[in-house]
């Protein structure tokens, strides 16, 4: 499988207004601070971390909804970092976003027909083709043509997310960035929507980047998982392996908080000290050292880079993860 999407050392820093009137110091919020990974065609990469770790910003940078401060983005082998105008418009057909909040992302004044057909209209798809596609999309997301003239407020949360998913598929994209698509839904509905997304992936040959703070949600759908902390990747690799044997202390702590399916299996909960530090003023060395139960002096001064931590290619950024050296 070749890489459909590749990001190389992407950074997204936001300038912050300086309160001190005469200060010349430029302050920045480092939302994404140098992440690199690729996503293969047909694969699902789960991108996880606490709120404020930069995962949603990273998703918007990948989609070119936000300009990166530095770094490069490749889509189907082509460098799209500096795409503008018509080139970017064409690219929008192939890369879509599913939003977290199905309540806020659907225009309450528009009918379902208008909401789903709008992207097709923008791309001048003929009316007859639009109508056919609309009926087909409603059917595949579990709604029906009968719902076309209704408005968003007439639907439940799960149905609204189905409408959001149908809209994201209107232009037959290859890549869909799913930004916490089930976190606003009841737990009972989450599994239904995730199962639907898996079915749609097979039907439409989709590639997903699935952003979530809940590791149990990502586990179900991901082929690989990437864990972010304060704008950086701390672990990435095969989802089953990361869940079975997490290498980075932060991943271990996140996984220890996931409820066990088997109540007889004992698992010790790792409670992290303090809150997530501010990305305006991140800790020196390993950014996780202020909360890590295993931190030592070196962690305060020296930043660990991602290293190969398993035969199967899991990478982790920790000074105390044993590096697997190629034979
Ligand atoms: Fe913890 Fe140090 Fe490893 Fe960072 S480098 S995760 S602080 S042990």
């Amino acid at each position: 499988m070749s890489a459909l999407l590749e990001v190389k050392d992407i950074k997204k820093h936001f300038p912050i207004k300086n309160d001190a009137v005469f200060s010349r110091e430029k302050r920045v919020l480092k939302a994404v601070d140098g992440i690199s990974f690729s996503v293969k065609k047909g694969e699902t990469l789960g991108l996880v971390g606490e709120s404020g770790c930069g995962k949603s910003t990273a998703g918007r940078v990948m989609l070119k909804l936000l300009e990166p401060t530095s770094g490069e983005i490749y889509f189907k082998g082509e460098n799209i970092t500096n795409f503008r105008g018509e080139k970017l418009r064409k690219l929008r057909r192939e890369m879509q976003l599913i939003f977290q909040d199905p309540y806020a992302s659907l225009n309450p004044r528009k009918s379902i027909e208008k909401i789903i057909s709008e992207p097709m209209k923008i791309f001048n798809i003929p009316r007859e083709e639009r109508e056919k596609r609309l009926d087909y999309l409603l059917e595949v997301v579990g709604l029906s043509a009968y719902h076309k003239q209704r408005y968003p407020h007439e639907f439940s949360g799960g149905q609204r997310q189905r409408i959001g998913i149908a809209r994201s598929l209107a232009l037959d994209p290859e890549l869909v960035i799913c930004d916490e698509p089930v976190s606003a839904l009841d737990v009972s509905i989450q599994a239904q929507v995730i199962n639907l997304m898996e079915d749609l992936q097979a039907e439409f040959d989709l590639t997903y980047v699935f952003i979530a703070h809940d590791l149990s949600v990502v586990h179900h759908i991901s082929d690989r998982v990437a864990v972010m902390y304060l704008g950086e990747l701390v672990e990435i690799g095969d989802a089953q392996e990361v869940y079975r044997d997490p290498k980075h202390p932060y991943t271990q702590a996140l996984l220890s908080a996931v409820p066990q399916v088997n109540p007889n299996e004992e698992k010790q909960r790792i409670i992290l000290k303090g809150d997530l530090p501010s990305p305006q003023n991140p800790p020196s060395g390993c950014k996780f050292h202020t909360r890590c139960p295993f931190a030592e002096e070196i962690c305060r001064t020296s930043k660990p880079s991602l290293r190969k931590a398993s035969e199967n290619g899991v990478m982790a950024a920790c000074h105390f993860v044993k590096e697997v050296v190629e034979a």
Side-chain angles (χ1 to χ4, degrees):
M1 274 195 292
S2 56
L4 183 74
L5 175 77
E6 191 172 5
V7 297
K8 292 185 182 173
D9 200 19
I10 284 292
K11 292 184 182 173
K12 181 64 192 174
H13 295 174
F14 295 99
I16 311 169
K17 215 173 138 215
N18 204 331
D19 294 334
V21 181
F22 297 111
S23 173
R24 289 178 175 225
E25 191 196 349
K26 282 190 183 157
R27 294 169 64 212
V28 290
L29 187 149
K30 297 177 178 177
V32 179
D33 203 18
I35 61 171
S36 302
F37 59 81
S38 60
V39 190
K40 292 173 189 150
K41 184 160 173 55
E43 159 176 78
T44 298
L45 176 78
L47 189 57
V48 296
E50 289 164 283
S51 292
C53 74
K55 53 194 190 304
S56 291
T57 304
R60 279 160 175 76
V61 170
M62 287 172 228
L63 281 175
K64 293 272 299 158
L65 295 172
L66 285 174
E67 286 298 324
T69 306
S70 64
E72 290 176 334
I73 311 161
Y74 290 80
F75 184 68
K76 295 203 265 189
E78 189 172 13
N79 187 340
I80 62 163
T81 320
N82 298 315
F83 270 25
R84 307 266 185 286
E86 189 54 24
K87 269 185 159 179
L88 185 57
R89 202 181 88 92
K90 279 191 183 149
L91 189 70
R92 296 254 181 266
R93 271 192 92 141
E94 302 184 74
M95 303 165 96
Q96 291 288 319
L97 178 68
I98 297 175
F99 294 90
Q100 173 179 5
D101 187 351
Y103 292 86
S105 67
L106 305 177
N107 187 334
R109 288 188 203 90
K110 289 190 174 168
S111 67
I112 302 315
E113 176 173 19
K114 284 207 170 120
I115 288 171
I116 300 175
S117 300
E118 205 163 39
M120 296 188 270
K121 226 173 163 183
I122 293 170
F123 278 88
N124 300 322
I125 291 171
R127 190 190 178 114
E128 203 179 317
E129 205 180 309
R130 279 198 320 253
E131 283 172 0
K132 256 197 203 158
R133 178 102 183 143
L134 171 68
D135 289 351
Y136 173 58
L137 287 170
L138 284 170
E139 192 195 318
V140 290
V141 299
L143 299 168
S144 74
Y146 157 80
H147 292 110
K148 273 193 284 194
Q149 298 312 325
R150 298 204 166 187
Y151 287 80
H153 73 271
E154 296 177 72
F155 294 88
S156 66
Q159 284 175 318
R160 288 191 217 207
Q161 194 53 293
R162 286 169 191 266
I163 296 162
I165 292 169
R167 178 180 56 185
S168 74
L169 299 180
L171 296 169
D172 201 15
E174 288 200 50
L175 174 71
V176 182
I177 309 269
C178 316
D179 187 7
E180 304 251 15
V182 296
S183 47
L185 305 176
D186 288 349
V187 175
S188 57
I189 308 294
Q190 287 185 355
Q192 289 175 19
V193 174
I194 288 178
N195 288 340
L196 169 69
M197 291 177 70
E198 282 189 311
D199 292 345
L200 295 173
Q201 183 168 35
E203 171 99 17
F204 293 94
D205 198 16
L206 297 169
T207 303
Y208 288 146
V209 175
F210 198 102
I211 298 169
H213 63 273
D214 185 339
L215 273 151
S216 52
V217 168
V218 176
H219 188 189
H220 186 78
I221 197 165
S222 301
D223 299 302
R224 284 189 309 137
V225 67
V227 182
M228 276 184 81
Y229 187 79
L230 275 183
E232 294 176 353
L233 280 188
V234 296
E235 183 155 2
I236 181 166
D238 175 77
Q240 298 307 328
E241 190 175 344
V242 170
Y243 278 81
R244 194 180 60 249
D245 183 19
K247 304 289 187 214
H248 194 280
Y250 179 58
T251 319
Q252 290 167 1
L254 288 182
L255 277 169
S256 78
V258 173
Q260 289 291 97
V261 179
N262 181 355
N264 298 323
E265 239 176 71
E266 280 224 2
K267 192 167 64 168
Q268 205 186 347
R269 174 96 194 257
I270 302 168
I271 311 281
L272 292 177
K273 296 180 277 181
D275 294 326
L276 190 71
S278 165
Q280 282 182 43
N281 191 16
S284 59
C286 174
K287 287 182 179 176
F288 187 52
H289 84 253
T290 53
R291 302 170 80 197
C292 180
F294 310 109
E296 294 196 12
E297 194 47 41
I298 187 180
C299 308
R300 284 174 247 285
T301 52
S302 166
K303 181 178 161 167
S305 49
L306 279 171
R307 60 183 70 175
K308 192 173 172 191
S310 85
E311 292 291 346
N312 202 16
V314 172
M315 307 282 286
C318 170
H319 289 306
F320 302 105
V321 163
K322 198 163 178 279
E323 185 162 12
V324 175
V325 183
E326 306 269 346

